[in-house]
Amino acid sequence: MTAIAVLGNGRVGGNLAAALTRAGHQVTVADSTPGAAADAARTARIVINATPGAGAPERLAALRDELHGKILVDVSNATTDGPDGLPADLLHPGSSLAEQLQEALPETSVVKTLNTMLYPVMTAPTMLSRPPTVFLSGEDPQAKQTVRELLTDLGWHKEWITDLGGIRTARATEAAILFVPHVIRADGFAPFAISIAR
């Protein structure tokens, strides 16, 4: 059992919190009340950023003390919204949200994952007709191993998990968000994930 704080109680955060609780972890969800994120992060070993990507570096930099020495799992994408509310453009071209977070939080191990799929697939990867791929990006091998174990708790088979390397590789997975609006407009809001076929 691991103490986990989920920052963000929308569809993504709520889905992850429920699944991790079912897997036996001690999960706290931070809502929008003042100080909730700080309180949740202070008592956790792992913190999951499920807040909107826009403004996340500033929001999380304010938790620098609470996140010191912790693992920060970043599942968000930082984009502008199009007129229909779907992602339009990247907010950090030539960089990534994950890199911005790691720069703002040098004493925290940031691991990027679960950001290349619609949120239901994060906790139920076997719902798809073909095996999906989930990616890991981060500088700390031990932190990535811990996150890999969390992913298996969420139902991800070990062979579906691909470690891309350092935090800079998050640029590639974050850019995959640009597929999402086009796929949704073409096929509707049906669960899908980016997958590497071999």
Side-chain angles (χ1 to χ4, degrees), residues 58-177:
E58 295 78 15
R59 263 193 311 276
L60 294 172
L63 303 175
R64 188 169 179 163
D65 290 343
E66 290 83 1
L67 292 171
H68 188 281
K70 309 279 178 74
I71 297 171
L72 177 65
V73 181
D74 179 36
V75 303
S76 296
N77 288 300
T79 62
T80 61
D81 289 338
D84 55 3
L86 294 175
D89 291 305
L90 299 175
L91 281 180
H92 304 290
S95 183
S96 64
L97 174 59
E99 288 172 89
Q100 300 293 313
L101 291 172
Q102 187 62 84
E103 184 177 344
L105 300 162
E107 303 303 323
T108 302
S109 295
V110 177
V111 179
K112 188 82 182 192
T113 193
L114 290 173
N115 63 311
T116 54
M117 62 203 69
L118 291 192
Y119 77 93
V121 182
M122 294 178 174
T123 59
T126 58
M127 69 165 41
L128 300 180
S129 61
R130 296 180 182 87
T133 306
V134 64
F135 303 98
L136 294 171
S137 298
E139 297 300 323
D140 183 342
Q142 188 172 350
K144 285 193 285 188
Q145 178 57 35
T146 298
V147 175
R148 185 185 290 270
E149 291 165 7
L150 275 189
L151 291 171
T152 61
D153 288 346
L154 293 174
W156 288 89
H157 297 189
K158 291 179 181 179
E159 62 270 21
W160 298 354
I161 303 171
T162 298
D163 184 345
L164 295 178
I167 200 70
R168 185 184 172 103
T169 64
R171 296 181 188 189
T173 60
E174 290 188 24
I177 189 67

